[in-house]
């Protein structure tokens, strides 16, 4: 079994900052890519940013220059530093990871989500 646990969400005013964290634990051999997705009410879940084990980063155009994804592989943790937040960033943010488990399964796992609300 694998668990992803997010933290760091909350309420912030427009222009403010938040830092999200996600820790993966369980029967893990290797974590390939980790990332963040978000889903606002009435919208589909969308990519925010991903980072591979080799450090290759993919960002959504809507967050470039404002959000920074990073990873501590030794801690099985991925971070999302969010600066210059806008009301349209309001959403539930989900952690995502592609993991090879000790059972030999190569699967994608999701966290439970953390709410980010940006007030205008």
């Amino acid at each position: 079994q694998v668990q992803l646990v997010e933290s760091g969400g909350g309420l912030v005013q427009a222009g403010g900052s938040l830092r999200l964290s996600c820790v993966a634990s369980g029967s893990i051999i290797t974590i390939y890519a980790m990332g963040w997705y978000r889903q606002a009410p009435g919208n589909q879940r969308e990519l925010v940013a991903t980072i591979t084990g080799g450090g290759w980063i993919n960002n959504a155009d809507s967050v470039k220059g404002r959000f920074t994804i990073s990873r501590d592989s030794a801690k099985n943790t991925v971070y999302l530093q969010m600066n210059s937040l806008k009301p349209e960033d309001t959403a539930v943010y989900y952690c995502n990871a592609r993991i090879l488990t000790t059972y030999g399964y190569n699967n994608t796992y999701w966290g439970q989500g953390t709410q980010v609300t940006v007030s205008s």
Side-chain angles (χ1 to χ4, degrees), residues 11 16 19 26 31 33 38 41 55 57 61 69-70 75 86 92 97 101:
L11 173 64
R19 189 190 195 211
I31 301 178
R38 67 187 181 186
I57 292 172
D61 289 342
I69 189 170
S70 61
K75 297 181 178 180
K86 304 175 181 180
V92 178
T101 72

Side-chain angles (χ1 to χ4, degrees), residues 8-23:
L11 173 64
V12 65
Q13 289 188 333
S17 298
L18 284 174
R19 189 190 195 211
L20 305 183
S21 300
C22 172
V23 181

Side-chain angles (χ1 to χ4, degrees), residues 2-37:
V2 172
Q3 298 83 36
L4 300 181
V5 178
E6 302 109 331
S7 61
L11 173 64
V12 65
Q13 289 188 333
S17 298
L18 284 174
R19 189 190 195 211
L20 305 183
S21 300
C22 172
V23 181
S25 63
S27 305
I28 298 170
I29 292 180
T30 299
I31 301 178
Y32 299 111
M34 300 187 80
W36 294 93
Y37 290 70

Side-chain angles (χ1 to χ4, degrees), residues 35-39 45-48 50 92-94 96 110:
W36 294 93
Y37 290 70
R38 67 187 181 186
Q39 187 167 17
R45 192 171 296 188
E46 64 177 8
L47 168 74
V48 176
T50 59
V92 178
Y93 284 69
Y94 295 93
N96 167 284
W110 293 91

Side-chain angles (χ1 to χ4, degrees), residues 77-93:
T77 301
V78 64
Y79 305 97
L80 185 68
Q81 178 66 43
M82 305 186 292
N83 298 328
S84 302
L85 282 160
K86 304 175 181 180
E88 51 264 44
D89 294 318
T90 295
V92 178
Y93 284 69

